[in-house]
């Protein structure tokens, strides 16, 4: 998706749990017909591990004939990670990729030196209205890999490991958790997992991941006696073992990884360790030097002024 910065809202409840370094209340952004809650980047925390962007979109229900239409736009220096809870998005990119993503699957698009993509609801999915609910995150690439060749990986739901026991179902999208490892290749130590928890069930979030965060999608959770409602990104202090208890049936997402190898600059859809590289990307998009998206060439998102 495409990024435009906005002001962070004031936090609601104070983060009372000692293990929590920061609680982020996402800011709401309108992306043309549906709202997005953007938790990262935040004024008080730019990244968690390699994660430099965290969007929660929906749940939305489009009327008949409508859908998502994110026109072709460019990226550099990052990988986009798209994961759906409901609905379907057709992904197309300048590599010639054209693949739908559905719930439980993952699209991992590595921009590297530059890629262009679009995200739309397919015409046949617009006939009777269409739900949409999911996440899109960006992970920064290691400084030595920022200019690699672009690439795209689609991993089906059957390929992602699932751990089911004691009232919890955990899908490991990237990295490893609870003894299961995802087949998704990453260039940096990265964790991304979705967990659905029955009321009363628990899940540990140990300290083997250097930088960790938890996002509450649905339901209510308890950590050390403090309760947290949906739409909160909890960033944990390093070194503390965490146990999450579901107060009600809940869905959470665990993300993190090793601390990045230096700060990153982010402007619009560009991420880089070097400001001059972002300036070059801006000039390249303005001048039409990025590749086009086969099958979606008639529109594009202009460079913001």
């Amino acid at each position: 998706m495409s990024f435009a910065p906005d002001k962070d809202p004031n936090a609601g409840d104070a983060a009372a749990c000692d293990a929590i370094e920061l609680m982020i209340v996402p800011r709401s952004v309108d992306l043309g017909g549906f709202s997005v809650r953007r938790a990262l980047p935040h004024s008080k925390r730019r990244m968690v591990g390699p994660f430099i962007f965290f969007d929660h979109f929906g749940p939305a229900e489009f009327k008949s004939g409508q859908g998502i239409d994110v026109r072709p736009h460019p990226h550099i220096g990052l990988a986009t990670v798209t994961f759906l809870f409901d609905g379907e998005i057709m992904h197309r990119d300048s590599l010639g990729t054209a693949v739908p993503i559905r719930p439980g699957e993952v699209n991992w698009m590595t921009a590297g030196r530059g890629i262009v993509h679009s995200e739309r609801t397919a015409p046949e999915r617009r006939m009777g209205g269409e739900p949409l609910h999911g996440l899109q995150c960006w992970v920064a690439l290691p400084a030595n890999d920022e200019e690699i060749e672009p690439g795209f990986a689609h991993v089906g739901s059957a390929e992602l490991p699932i751990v089911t026991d004691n009232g919890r179902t955990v899908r490991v999208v990237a990295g490893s958790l609870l003894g299961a490892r995802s087949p998704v290749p990453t260039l940096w130590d990265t964790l991304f997992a979705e967990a659905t928890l029955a009321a009363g069930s628990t899940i540990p979030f140990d300290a083997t991941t250097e930088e960790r965060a938890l996002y509450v999608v649905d339901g209510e959770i308890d950590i050390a006696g403090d309760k947290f409602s949906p739409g909160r990104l909890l960033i944990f202090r390093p070194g503390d073992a965490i146990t999450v208890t579901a107060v009600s049936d809940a869905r959470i997402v665990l993300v993190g990884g090793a601390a990045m190898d230096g700060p990153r600059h982010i402007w619009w859809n560009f991420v880089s360790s070097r400001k001059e590289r972002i300036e070059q990307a801006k000039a390249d998009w303005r001048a039409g030097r990025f590749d086009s998206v086969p099958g979606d060439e008639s529109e594009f998102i202009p460079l913001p002024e």
Side-chain angles (χ1 to χ4, degrees):
M1 291 188 180
S2 186
F3 167 71
D6 202 354
K7 293 181 179 180
D8 299 321
N10 293 324
D13 301 330
C17 178
D18 289 342
I20 296 174
E21 177 181 311
L22 178 66
M23 182 180 72
I24 293 175
V25 181
R27 57 197 183 275
S28 183
V29 180
D30 185 357
L31 286 186
F34 68 106
S35 64
V36 173
R37 288 171 293 285
R38 183 157 294 155
L40 293 176
H42 188 270
S43 60
K44 294 183 179 180
R45 187 66 179 254
R46 303 288 286 176
M47 288 187 283
V48 178
F51 288 86
I52 195 168
F53 179 98
F54 189 102
D55 262 7
H56 175 204
F57 52 87
E61 189 76 33
F62 292 107
K63 296 179 181 178
S64 181
Q66 297 181 343
I68 182 176
D69 279 300
V70 181
R71 295 167 291 162
H73 57 279
H75 291 285
I76 67 163
L78 57 87
T80 65
V81 184
T82 307
F83 186 84
L84 296 184
F85 306 123
D86 198 7
E88 179 184 298
I89 296 176
M90 173 59 73
H91 166 97
R92 296 181 185 272
D93 63 42
S94 50
L95 301 176
T97 309
V99 61
I101 180 173
R102 302 181 179 95
E105 303 174 344
V106 62
N107 278 1
W108 198 286
M109 185 185 76
T110 302
R113 62 176 177 80
I115 199 168
V116 181
H117 76 136
S118 65
E119 296 153 299
R120 299 184 185 268
T121 302
E124 64 272 17
R125 302 279 300 192
R126 299 175 187 245
M127 302 303 292
E130 174 74 359
L132 188 64
H133 188 202
L135 301 174
Q136 187 171 93
C137 305
W138 299 352
V139 294
L141 300 181
N144 291 336
D145 294 315
E146 288 181 322
E147 298 298 321
I148 63 173
E149 290 296 309
F152 178 83
H154 173 88
V155 181
S157 59
E159 301 172 74
L160 295 174
I162 296 176
V163 177
T164 302
D165 61 7
N166 301 318
R168 65 193 182 198
T169 300
V170 182
R171 188 185 303 269
V172 184
V173 179
S176 60
L177 189 70
L178 300 176
R181 173 167 288 278
S182 167
V184 174
T186 62
L187 295 170
W188 193 256
D189 178 35
T190 304
L191 171 66
F192 186 112
E194 174 214 17
T196 55
L197 307 173
S201 65
T202 64
I203 182 171
F205 198 5
D206 63 32
T208 55
T209 300
E210 183 179 6
E211 295 187 353
R212 301 164 295 160
L214 179 158
Y215 184 77
V216 186
V217 180
D218 297 307
E220 186 178 43
I221 63 168
D222 178 288
I223 299 175
D226 297 300
K227 294 179 173 57
F228 300 94
S229 56
R232 299 292 185 269
L233 181 71
L234 310 177
I235 300 176
F236 300 105
R237 301 184 192 281
D240 290 337
I242 304 297
T243 297
V244 180
T245 301
V247 178
S248 63
D249 290 352
R251 185 197 302 266
I252 61 174
V253 171
L254 310 175
V255 297
M260 280 309 292
D261 55 349
R264 293 296 187 271
H265 305 285
I266 180 170
W267 188 90
W268 192 38
N269 305 316
F270 305 138
V271 170
S272 180
S273 59
R274 299 174 292 127
K275 285 185 177 180
E276 62 271 18
R277 180 64 181 93
I278 289 180
E279 292 303 314
Q280 181 61 56
K282 291 162 65 174
D284 288 344
W285 184 245
R286 187 183 291 113
R289 289 191 285 264
F290 278 83
D291 293 336
S292 61
V293 177
D296 200 346
E297 297 128 321
S298 61
E299 295 183 300
F300 65 94
I301 299 178
L303 191 78
E305 296 298 332

